[in-house]
Amino acid sequence: MTGLLEIRGARRSFATPEGGRIAALDGVDLDVGANEFVTLLGPSGCGKTTLLRSISGFEALDAGVIRLDGRDIGALPPFRRPVNTVFQSYALFGHMSVARNVGYALEVGGVARAERERAVAEALDKVGLAGFGARRPSQLSGGQRQRVALARAIIGRPRILLLDEPLSALDRNLRQQMQLELKTLQHNLGIAFVFVTHDQEEALTMSDRIVVMRAGRIEQQGSPRDIFRHPRTRFVAEFIGETNLFDVTVDRIEGEVAIGRTAEGLELRLPGAGLTVGRRATAVLRPADFRLAEAGLPVTITRSVYLGQDLNLFAAPAPGGPEIRVTARDAADAPEVGARVHLAYDAAAVHLLEGA
Amino acid sequence: MARRRDRLVLAALLTPVTLFLGVFFLVPLLTIAVFSFLTPGLYGGVEWAFYHWNYGRIFGWADGIMEVFEPVYLRILGRSLSFAAVTVLLCLILCYPVAFWVSRLPERWRLVFLFLITLPFFSSLIVRLYAWLLILKPSGLLNEMLLGIGLIGAPLEILYTPTAVVLGMVYVMIPFMFLPLFAAVDNLDRSLIEASYDLGATRFQTFRKVILPQTLPGIVGGSVIVFIPSVGNFIVPDVLGGAKGLMAGNLVEQQFLSARNWPFGAALSMLIMSVVLIVLVTFVTRLRPKEG
Ligand SMILES: Nc1ncnc2c1ncn2[C@@H]1O[C@H](COP(=O)(O)OP(=O)(O)O)[C@@H](O)[C@H]1O
Ligand SMILES: [Mg+2]
């Protein structure tokens, strides 16, 4: 990975109304490669926006360095940073036409009018808004405004494009469409995107790398598959997708497989490597990891939620303990509520949280 | 059905306002307009005969016997307009930065400041102007202070000069400029300013291309609200202006109260009104943000 952006030990705290201080960034190290799509994912208030604003220059760090192409940019004002932002509220200039909004970076940069108009037409074309230049932002739909904001931010060819929850105001269909378009656009432009969201689905579909944040720190980062399949902590496991977590103590080892037992006496087969009898561990099983079968965990179906192609089943384990969520195909032989079935799963696919 | 009822309700709600404005605004206005074309009565009042020399006196046609053309009226009107323009400009320069400062204050201090700016409304204008008289007169507070610290050798002659009039008008008009300006500045979306910086605009470019156009409605509103009463104001020049500070409003006042020439006073009023209207329409249409 060629390091484009390098953040080391970023710290930023704010005074709270109660008189205390809250650490919005509590020692963040982050690298972004050229042409990489990095997503900052985390619950509201975990510091995503603060991190983004410290890259764009609107927030000064209390400590830490930000380097771009190896150059410390911490002291540069926002208008000197080769970084552009798509704001959550779009922040379009209402008194200007769409074309002038899009060409703003070139206008203030002193680019000649003819060249500017050509670039504006090209940028509008890229976001599918060719011919909308003469309109006012107020004459556009939410999705179109979003695209104008995007065109405006990319026209100056920034090294990094920052996007702060840009899709949160759009309806579901439009959001999914924009997710694909953004990904394509990023690929075509060949610039790095740092994308902020609190929506794990969005993060999984778009990112080269997901950075999961929690209370001002980076909890885990990795590829979407890595984050989804191998969460390191309970927080990440629960934040990314639906999860079943089982706190077990290893009861015995049977060859390749270790048998873990929950407090209620439910027995789970785990990958045996590295486990010893008596070890405590937390097993992660996604709803789709289970199959309905003749043998396996004995459960009773308590609820069934119809999702179209799939069913979301809630199953109470026979020995007791929290309900297990299972995704099953909606077929004629799908179990009814009250049915006693068995859940099978592949022991090797069970993921164990570290240091649980 | 429902829409028709809505319309009835609307009409019922609007009727009192319409009646009020009709009676107390339009009727006096029409009276003035009609009077301005009537013959002045010998001892005040009007005689119901058409008479265009009221305007002749101002614009240059007169019979030379009963009515004489005097260019002084136009000159005073011109002076009123320029005084009002200077007042608008000074109010704007004073209030605009302060509006930004106040909009950044914590909520509580903002309220305190807004209360302070409306405080003058709680006391009589005349009393406040006489206070200015005490401050500005040769042996007044200002001169005493300046003399005291040795900045000047002899008392400044400010009172009964155009400076005193403009000073007093700016003082009177500041709240009217500040409130619409503050509303516009306070409504300004901070993220627009950030977007401008983000796209590479310097502070000055951001001000010229984003902040100024975005707050233009407040600037226009404040200027209009200050300009109109400034042109016709006669109390401030009465108290602080002396003979050299006579303004158009004083002319009207004199014609109605001292000279008891109502038609001529009405003609002067109509003139002021139309000139103000023309100036405002030009100003507002010119300042409408041009779009490239
Ligand atoms: N300008 C500010 N003043 C005070 N507190 C702030 C400010 N900006 C952010 N915070 C606090 O810092 C924390 C992180 O905020 P933010 O970065 O906006 O989170 P996120 O974008 O992940 O929702 C929150 O607790 C927030 O209240
Ligand atoms: Mg945020």
Side-chain angles (χ1 to χ4, degrees), chain A residues 11 152 196 338:
Chain A
R11 287 180 191 283
R152 185 179 69 173
V196 164

Side-chain angles (χ1 to χ4, degrees), chain B residues 15 17 24-25 38 57 101 129 142 169 203 215 221 269 287:
Chain B
T15 304
V17 186
F24 293 100
F25 174 75
L38 295 180
R57 268 177 84 175
W101 178 69
L129 284 178
L142 181 70
M169 296 230 288
R203 275 172 242 283
T215 51
S269 297
L287 264 182

Side-chain angles (χ1 to χ4, degrees), chain A residues 2-84:
Chain A
T2 51
L4 173 65
L5 180 76
E6 242 181 287
I7 299 177
R8 292 289 174 271
R11 287 180 191 283
R12 177 74 166 112
S13 65
F14 294 105
T16 61
E18 294 77 32
R21 291 199 77 79
I22 180 168
L25 296 179
D26 193 10
V28 170
D29 298 338
L30 180 71
D31 287 275
V32 178
N35 204 3
E36 200 184 8
F37 197 123
V38 175
T39 298
L40 306 179
L41 175 66
S44 180
C46 70
K48 306 180 297 288
T49 297
T50 307
L51 183 55
L52 213 61
R53 287 170 62 82
S54 57
I55 299 174
S56 56
F58 291 114
E59 211 65 80
L61 293 178
D62 298 336
V65 287
I66 300 187
R67 275 190 291 268
L68 191 74
D69 286 324
R71 197 164 60 104
D72 190 342
I73 59 167
L76 289 185
F79 53 87
R80 291 255 163 71
R81 299 190 185 195
V83 167
N84 285 151

Side-chain angles (χ1 to χ4, degrees), chain A residues 53 56 58 78-79 83-85 87 89 91-97 100 104-105 107-108 136 152, chain B residues 189 191-203 205-206 209-210 213-214 289-292:
Chain A
R53 287 170 62 82
S56 56
F58 291 114
F79 53 87
V83 167
N84 285 151
T85 307
F87 292 84
S89 58
L92 298 179
F93 306 125
H95 60 285
M96 297 180 189
S97 67
R100 211 177 145 210
Y104 191 80
E107 182 184 329
V108 297
R136 289 294 175 113
R152 185 179 69 173
Chain B
D189 185 355
S191 72
L192 294 185
I193 301 175
E194 290 196 347
S196 175
Y197 287 144
D198 189 74
L199 293 163
T202 60
R203 275 172 242 283
Q205 285 173 320
T206 299
K209 291 172 186 288
V210 175
Q214 286 282 331
K290 279 160 284 181
E291 184 47 49

